[in-house]
Amino acid sequence: GAGVSQSPSNKVTEKGKDVELRCDPISGHTALYWYRQSLGQGLEFLIYFQGNSAPDKSGLPSDRFSAERTGGSVSTLTIQRTQQEDSAVYLCASSERTSVDTQYFGPGTRLTVL
Amino acid sequence: AQSVTQLGSHVSVSEGALVLLRCNYSSSVPPYLFWYVQYPNQGLQLLLKYTSAATLVKGINGFEAEFKKSETSFHLTKPSAHMSDAAEYFCAVSDRGSGYSTLTFGKGTMLLVSP
């Protein structure tokens, strides 16, 4: 498969628990993006990676959110002490270099915080 | 700062009718503009993009959009709607202010197509 993959596809957790969401970008894509999609808020940018570094973290909503990327490939988005307002679909995308290049999106992880 | 406004959260058309989805942007510098489509329970797929070449951009599935700087608009059109076009459509902008590093999306327009 040549597309962006995300796991898990669905995650149900209890308030206060930590969760990790994984993104496997298209091989060779140096840019990786995380977005959050929720009712009423639309698509919100969270963080952007170029290689392993994150030059733009401006969209992370709080310090409970963090992300890392290793080996210029797989990325993990971690949400600590989850809250009900964190419930959303988390989308990952990758592109060859920058957002001017086409961003290819994964199917998303639907997070439900009870 | 870049921003996008999509007029109409829902647009309904009959099969065979013209599709027009509106997008207006705000950007302090020449932007790059995109339209993405999202089918139910799927990720987003690029329909077309404007990157300062021809102002009329043709995309997949018969869609096209025209960049109008004077109107700060990038409306999406299709001459004849198909049932398979029913989906949510997102307009997005990226500009030099962000280093062309990120996309700012509109809130989306759900296209409903009736037989």
Side-chain angles (χ1 to χ4, degrees), chain A residues 33 35 37 40-45 48 56 89 91 98-108 110, chain B residues 32 34 36 38 41-46 49 51 88 90 94 98-107:
Chain A
Y33 313 82
Y35 297 89
Q37 186 174 27
Q41 296 297 322
L43 272 159
E44 302 173 272
F45 164 77
Y48 154 65
D56 191 346
V89 176
L91 292 168
T98 71
S99 68
V100 174
D101 302 311
T102 298
Q103 289 192 25
Y104 295 89
F105 282 78
R110 181 175 297 278
Chain B
Y32 291 173
F34 306 78
Y36 281 84
Q38 186 176 33
N41 300 314
Q42 295 187 26
L44 277 73
Q45 178 184 8
L46 181 70
K49 63 181 179 182
T51 56
E88 190 160 21
F90 293 91
S94 179
S98 70
Y100 297 110
S101 64
T102 62
L103 291 176
T104 298
F105 286 88
K107 292 196 179 295

Side-chain angles (χ1 to χ4, degrees), chain A residues 26-87:
Chain A
I26 292 173
S27 178
H29 281 191
T30 62
L32 185 147
Y33 313 82
W34 283 98
Y35 297 89
R36 177 168 71 174
Q37 186 174 27
S38 53
L39 287 175
Q41 296 297 322
L43 272 159
E44 302 173 272
F45 164 77
L46 296 179
I47 188 169
Y48 154 65
F49 286 93
Q50 184 60 247
N52 289 335
S53 63
D56 191 346
K57 304 180 182 180
S58 61
L60 293 178
S62 75
D63 59 7
R64 297 186 296 105
F65 288 71
S66 62
E68 64 175 12
R69 189 180 185 193
T70 55
S73 181
V74 172
S75 176
T76 302
L77 177 69
T78 301
I79 309 173
Q80 296 178 310
R81 305 180 303 281
T82 52
Q83 304 294 312
Q84 288 184 332
E85 60 263 30
D86 299 334
S87 295

Side-chain angles (χ1 to χ4, degrees), chain B residues 19-32:
Chain B
V19 175
L20 171 61
L21 303 182
R22 299 178 186 274
C23 171
N24 288 87
Y25 68 90
S26 172
S27 173
S28 59
V29 295
Y32 291 173

Side-chain angles (χ1 to χ4, degrees), chain B residues 49-109:
Chain B
K49 63 181 179 182
Y50 166 78
T51 56
S52 73
T55 56
L56 182 61
V57 182
K58 294 186 183 300
I60 62 172
N61 301 338
F63 284 93
E64 63 181 37
E66 186 172 9
F67 172 68
K68 292 187 176 180
K69 183 179 179 181
S70 61
E71 298 178 7
T72 61
S73 69
F74 191 57
H75 302 331
L76 181 71
T77 61
K78 182 174 180 178
S80 176
H82 294 166
M83 296 295 291
S84 60
D85 294 327
E88 190 160 21
Y89 292 79
F90 293 91
C91 183
V93 63
S94 179
D95 69 17
R96 197 178 305 141
S98 70
Y100 297 110
S101 64
T102 62
L103 291 176
T104 298
F105 286 88
K107 292 196 179 295
T109 298

